[in-house]
Structure formats: structure tokens, C-alpha cells
Amino acid sequence: YVIELGYYLCDAIALAGGTTPNADDSCFNYYLSIEEDINIYIPPVSENEKVSLNVATIEELTTLTGVGNVIGSRILTYRDENGDFEYLEQIMNVEGIGRSIFDKIKDSICL
């Protein structure tokens, strides 16, 4: 869906007809201001405990597939320098995390 800059994620969700009944709303911020060209992935609710990008320790981060100590440290540094993650795809701004790693961990992470 295309939405104008300055609108919120909740506006885009409404435009799409809402989320599915199994959408995990702990993985995104309804009031994320749309300021750039972004894609938002909303994973399903999982019975497994997810790792929170905004509060996880290095030990918790390294339980994620493809995330070792180096990338885990980069996630913490990114979070310290930029503040909390606002949407899951933002983790791809961390050096060493591309689409491949994101696709492996996207159902195991939340905000």
C-alpha cells in the first residue's frame, strides 16, 4: 500500500483492512510515523518466547540464528546510538545484518 509521508503505521494497517487475527502486535509500533520508503513485516504470534530488540542482552541476542558476539555487539551499539528500534526491518541497518539473516530471525524477534 502507498501512504503519504507523515501518516502513521496504524493508518497503513487500516488501509490494508487491519491485521490478521494471529498478528503479533508486540512487533511493531502503531504510531510509527511514515517518514521514508519502508516495508513493515508483522509476524504471527508464536508460542516460542521472542527476543526483544529493544531490551535484549548480548546473551539473548546471540541465541538468534546467525547472530554471534560481533553482530550482537553491533545491535547493542546501534540501539545505544539510535534509540529503540521502531520496526523489525530496522535491524537491517546494523552492519552485518542483511535480508538473509533478517529472514531467518524475523519470527523470533519483537520490539
Side-chain angles (χ1 to χ4, degrees), residues 9 27-29 32 36-43 53 78 85-94 97-99 101-103 105-106 109-111:
L9 180 56
C27 295
F28 61 94
N29 174 359
L32 170 69
E36 57 186 57
D37 183 24
I38 59 172
N39 293 308
I40 302 291
Y41 173 73
I42 301 173
L53 296 178
Y78 182 90
F85 289 89
E86 296 187 39
Y87 53 97
L88 297 181
E89 287 84 354
Q90 194 175 5
I91 197 168
M92 289 189 287
N93 293 338
V94 174
I97 299 182
R99 175 58 62 181
I101 290 178
F102 177 74
D103 285 343
I105 66 173
K106 67 185 180 183
I109 57 176
C110 67
L111 301 179

Side-chain angles (χ1 to χ4, degrees), residues 8 12 16 21 25 28 30 34 40 50-51 56 60 65 76 78-79 83 89 99:
Y8 296 103
D25 62 1
F28 61 94
Y30 277 102
I34 306 299
I40 302 291
K50 295 185 180 193
V51 174
E60 293 167 321
T65 302
L76 295 178
Y78 182 90
R79 190 172 71 196
E89 287 84 354
R99 175 58 62 181

Side-chain angles (χ1 to χ4, degrees), residues 18-60:
T19 59
T20 62
N22 68 336
D24 188 348
D25 62 1
S26 71
C27 295
F28 61 94
N29 174 359
Y30 277 102
Y31 297 101
L32 170 69
S33 179
I34 306 299
E35 297 177 359
E36 57 186 57
D37 183 24
I38 59 172
N39 293 308
I40 302 291
Y41 173 73
I42 301 173
V45 172
S46 171
E47 293 181 16
N48 300 327
E49 191 170 324
K50 295 185 180 193
V51 174
S52 170
L53 296 178
N54 291 330
V55 297
T57 64
I58 186 96
E59 292 80 14
E60 293 167 321

